[in-house]
């Protein structure tokens, strides 16, 4: 059995836009439903959800038959947690709260086998198809896509250093945490926050580093795309469900 191709990583390398959706429900049926909706990628969040590796495996299995890439966000830049998600079969990870180049290098090391990294080696995991993928340990990094999340003013100050670390495939901006860092909690579309993110996206574009973002502000997302953002999450599952439910109820007031 061959190593599965990471179509998302290939698209980023080619500069093709990838439109995604955030998912916080630890439910395989929800994941399967979303997988058939035409998005390029779905981000399964374990930082701000009850999900852990067992739930992630179920989510990955649910979306596997569909032409969509599963992106998984661990709770922290923790090599043990990252190792578990990689062994579960995740090929694209979004690591939260990267503050500087040293933390970026630590994330790269966590997804990379020795001698270049510290990822533990196991020959019988879902990632290796339980030993069926030939030369997995030698080739795994060809298809692993590492995205780093910049979400503080401090991190923005180190953006170019973070983006320059070898092994980083893209940088993602988190408007909600950036807003809090700027002193505007709960205002992810504050003009100062938007300006800082758009400037960061332009900086990454000049360096040919893919930039990503999540926002419910569609005008902001259009500005981000214009600035050069490549992978854009345009909504989240819980928000879509709540807005739809409230709109239908409003029709019957």
């Amino acid at each position: 059995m061959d190593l599965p191709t990471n179509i998302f990583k290939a698209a980023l390398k080619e500069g093709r836009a990838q439109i995604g959706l955030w998912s916080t429900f630890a439910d395989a049926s929800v994941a399967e439903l979303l997988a058939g909706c035409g998005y390029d990628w779905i981000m399964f969040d374990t930082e701000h959800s009850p999900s852990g590796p067992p739930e992630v495996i179920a989510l990955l299995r649910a979306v596997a038959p569909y032409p969509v890439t599963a992106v998984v966000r661990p709770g922290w830049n923790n090599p043990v947690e990252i190792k578990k998600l990689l062994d579960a079969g995740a090929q694209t990870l979004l690591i939260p709260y990267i503050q500087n180049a040293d933390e970026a290098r630590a994330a790269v090391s966590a997804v990379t086998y020795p001698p270049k990294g510290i990822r533990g080696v196991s020959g019988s995991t879902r990632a290796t198809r339980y030993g069926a993928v030939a030369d997995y340990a030698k080739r795994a990094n060809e298809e692993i896509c590492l995205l780093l999340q910049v979400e503080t003013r401090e991190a923005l100050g180190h953006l170019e250093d973070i983006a320059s670390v070898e092994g980083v495939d893209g940088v993602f901006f988190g408007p909600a945490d950036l807003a809090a860092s700027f002193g505007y909690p709960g205002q992810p579309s504050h003009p100062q926050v938007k300006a800082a993110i758009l400037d960061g996206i332009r900086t990454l574009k000049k360096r040919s580093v893919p930039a990503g973002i999540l926002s419910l502000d569609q005008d902001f997302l259009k500005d981000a795309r214009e600035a050069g953002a490549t992978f854009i999450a345009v909504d989240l599952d819980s928000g879509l469900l709540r807005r739809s439910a409230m709109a239908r109820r409003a029709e019957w007031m």
Side-chain angles (χ1 to χ4, degrees):
M1 183 178 292
D2 199 11
L3 182 68
T5 299
N6 190 329
I7 57 175
F8 179 83
K9 182 174 183 177
L12 292 191
K13 284 185 175 181
E14 295 168 10
R16 289 187 280 117
Q18 298 292 285
I19 304 303
L21 189 69
W22 217 258
S23 180
T24 59
F25 291 134
D27 188 289
S29 293
V30 172
E32 186 175 24
L33 183 155
L34 296 176
C37 291
Y39 290 92
D40 298 302
W41 57 287
I42 299 174
M43 211 292 302
F44 295 120
D45 190 8
T46 74
E47 181 185 11
H48 294 295
S49 83
S51 296
E55 289 80 14
V56 167
I57 286 181
L59 298 173
L60 295 176
R61 285 176 176 150
V63 304
Y66 296 85
V68 62
T69 294
V71 180
V72 182
R73 180 166 70 171
W76 197 247
N77 187 12
N78 181 319
V80 175
E81 189 175 353
I82 289 170
K83 173 174 58 181
K84 287 179 177 290
L85 295 175
L86 291 174
D87 286 349
Q91 287 185 300
T92 302
L93 296 182
L94 172 61
I95 312 300
Y97 208 80
I98 298 298
Q99 294 287 81
N100 52 52
D102 286 341
E103 293 184 5
R105 282 188 282 269
V108 172
S109 181
V111 304
T112 308
Y113 283 124
K116 294 183 177 181
I118 62 169
R119 180 184 174 188
V121 181
S122 175
S124 183
T125 63
R126 185 174 181 275
T128 70
R129 298 303 186 263
Y130 305 99
V133 175
D135 297 323
Y136 176 84
K138 294 180 181 179
R139 298 186 52 215
N141 265 74
E142 296 173 14
E143 303 300 338
I144 289 174
C145 182
L146 179 64
L147 310 173
L148 304 183
Q149 189 160 344
V150 167
E151 46 191 332
T152 67
R153 295 188 76 164
E154 177 183 348
L156 283 177
H158 297 290
L159 179 61
E160 293 192 68
D161 291 337
I162 292 170
S164 297
V165 172
E166 183 179 0
V168 174
D169 296 298
V171 175
F172 186 89
F173 295 93
D177 283 291
L178 275 167
S181 180
F182 271 81
Y184 305 111
Q187 301 179 62
S189 291
H190 188 280
Q192 189 176 349
V193 177
K194 292 172 68 174
I197 291 174
L198 294 175
D199 184 61
I201 292 171
R202 295 186 190 101
T203 295
L204 293 177
K205 183 178 181 181
K206 291 177 183 177
R207 302 184 66 89
S208 298
V209 176
I213 187 172
L214 162 70
S215 178
L216 303 186
D217 181 339
Q218 302 302 301
D219 289 333
F220 184 15
L221 292 181
K222 291 173 184 176
D223 290 340
R225 180 174 60 182
E226 182 67 23
T230 306
F231 55 108
I232 301 172
V234 298
D235 220 315
L236 71 160
D237 53 7
S238 57
L240 285 168
L241 178 59
R242 186 172 190 274
R243 290 197 304 275
S244 179
M246 291 179 68
R248 181 53 50 87
R249 182 67 183 95
E251 294 173 7
W252 291 89
M253 296 296 282

